[in-house]
């Protein structure tokens, strides 16, 4: 089903809010290649982030291309139009070659009865006992269950089909990588639901190369996984089995893989992801998004002087506007206001106190995940600073870049793709 542009087996989604860290991020992928594994970068920035910062996707493309040229990267790389829909896709058409079709908002919107009936009659194999290789217990379904899943997800998948066909018309077949994202919704999809969804996607003739379901547990921004690791491991393996089965059964692309959104810093499940991918010999797309921006703040704080002053100023403003900053991310953050230091307290901190509170080192008693999450969503504050913030990044480029590279390679790439 898929010809043309192909996403390699392992890829990492790297957010770069201010388009200044492409080189530092790419350096982490070069370190991975030196360690014996190909992990290709997918630079991603959503429409919401472009709107907040006042940037254009073309600037993200320019930064990625410049880093690739400067560092002599000859492997593939991609630019993701992150979380787009029919209303927002326009500005991404030219610069992007990876499109995350976000249909989470349509999940639960009732599908047309005739569409549900047509789906059920086309897929009798999904009703009853569905035996899948490498799954201990066969999936047991009945007509009412499959019908319920169709009513819940079919309208969303059909919308993804509309976006895909628009992309096809504008970009041409084989000239972009499609991903479907269903993670920003209230309830996780079970592995059997994922299989039924994959059948719908195949019916829509969308040659997806990655799919981002919502997994069990909480995937809060920039902090560790909250949930039952054993349950996640079981579901992740069953999801991989469902994908492998759907590839052979429905003719989906043979490089189709799971995408773990808000995957940054989910340290407690990285072993499960690595082992699952290895067991099934399948790829993984890990999306790290906003951690780069936090590493910029850590680098500025570490630099001391005016860098530390800017890091403190960002926190004071984020603290003052926390309700407004947190609102768009309410489903993916858990901040305890009682654990947030006052700006007055932070103003008295040394570089080490600031970086200890912010850097994701759970062995450090000073690490503060409420502080970290508030700053994670506080990039709007730095955006409002304009040149003041960007000048600070440029003045402290070396120390900032070191933090960005170390974070991406040591804390993410090594455990997920090298099992280290």
């Amino acid at each position: 089903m898929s010809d043309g542009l192909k996403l390699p087996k392992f890829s990492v989604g790297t957010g770069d809010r201010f388009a200044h860290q492409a080189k530092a991020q790419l350096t982490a992928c070069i370190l991975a290649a030196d360690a014996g594994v190909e992990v290709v970068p997918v630079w991603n920035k959503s429409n919401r982030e472009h709107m907040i910062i006042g940037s254009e996707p073309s600037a993200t493309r320019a930064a990625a291309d410049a880093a690739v040229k400067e560092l002599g990267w000859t492997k593939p790389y991609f630019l993701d139009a992150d979380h787009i829909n029919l209303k927002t896709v326009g500005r991404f058409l030219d610069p992007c070659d990876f499109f995350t079709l976000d249909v989470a908002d349509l999940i639960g919107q009732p599908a047309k009865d005739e569409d549900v009936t047509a789906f059920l009659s086309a897929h009798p194999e999904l009703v009853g006992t569905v035996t899948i290789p490498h799954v201990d217990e066969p999936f047991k379904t009945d007509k009412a269950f499959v019908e319920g899943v169709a009513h819940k997800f079919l309208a969303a998948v059909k919308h993804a089909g509309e976006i895909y066909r628009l992309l096809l018309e504008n970009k041409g077949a084989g000239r972009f990588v499609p991903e479907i994202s269903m993670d920003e919704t209230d309830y996780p999809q079970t592995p059997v639901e994922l299989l039924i969804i994959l059948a719908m996607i195949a019916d829509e003739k969308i040659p997806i190369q990655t799919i981002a379901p919502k997994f069990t547990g909480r995937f809060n921004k920039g902090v560790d996984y909250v949930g039952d690791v054993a349950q996640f491991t079981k579901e992740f393996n069953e999801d991989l089995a469902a994908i492998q089965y759907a590839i052979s059964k429905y003719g989906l692309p043979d490089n189709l893989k799971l995408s773990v959104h808000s995957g940054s810093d989910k340290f407690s499940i990285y072993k499960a992801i690595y082992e699952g991918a290895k067991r099934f010999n399948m790829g993984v797309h890990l999306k790290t998004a906003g951690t780069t921006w936090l590493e910029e703040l850590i680098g500025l704080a570490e630099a001391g002087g005016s860098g530390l002053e800017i890091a403190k100023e960002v926190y004071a403003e984020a603290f003052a506007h926390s309700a407004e900053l947190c609102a768009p991310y309410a489903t993916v953050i858990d901040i305890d206001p009682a654990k947030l230091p006052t700006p007055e307290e932070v103003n008295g901190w040394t570089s080490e106190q600031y970086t200890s509170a912010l850097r994701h080192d759970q062995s450090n008693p000073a690490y503060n995940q409420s502080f970290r999450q508030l700053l994670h969503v506080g990039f709007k504050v730095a955006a409002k600073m304009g040149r003041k913030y960007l000048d600070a990044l440029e003045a402290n480029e070396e120390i900032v870049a070191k933090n960005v590279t170390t974070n991406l390679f040591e804390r993410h790439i090594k455990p997920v793709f090298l099992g280290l």
Side-chain angles (χ1 to χ4, degrees), residues 90-166:
R91 69 203 299 212
F92 294 93
L93 286 170
D94 189 45
C96 293
D97 51 10
F98 184 118
F99 290 81
T100 299
L101 317 183
D102 187 351
V103 294
D105 286 349
L106 286 158
I107 291 171
Q109 287 204 9
K112 292 177 186 166
D113 288 341
E114 59 268 31
D115 289 343
V116 172
T117 304
F119 178 75
L120 258 77
S121 64
H123 293 286
E125 78 285 355
L126 293 170
V127 178
T129 301
V130 184
T131 305
I132 292 180
H134 311 297
V135 172
D136 296 338
E137 293 286 322
F139 296 147
K140 296 270 206 273
T141 72
D142 56 25
K143 189 184 171 195
F145 175 80
V146 179
E147 203 168 345
V149 175
H151 273 295
K152 188 175 178 184
F153 294 102
L154 197 52
V157 173
K158 286 201 167 288
H159 183 70
E162 283 182 58
I163 307 171
Y164 173 71
R165 286 184 284 279
L166 177 81

Side-chain angles (χ1 to χ4, degrees), residues 54-69:
S55 54
E56 284 294 332
S58 53
T60 316
R61 164 59 70 188
D65 287 349
V68 163
K69 188 176 179 186

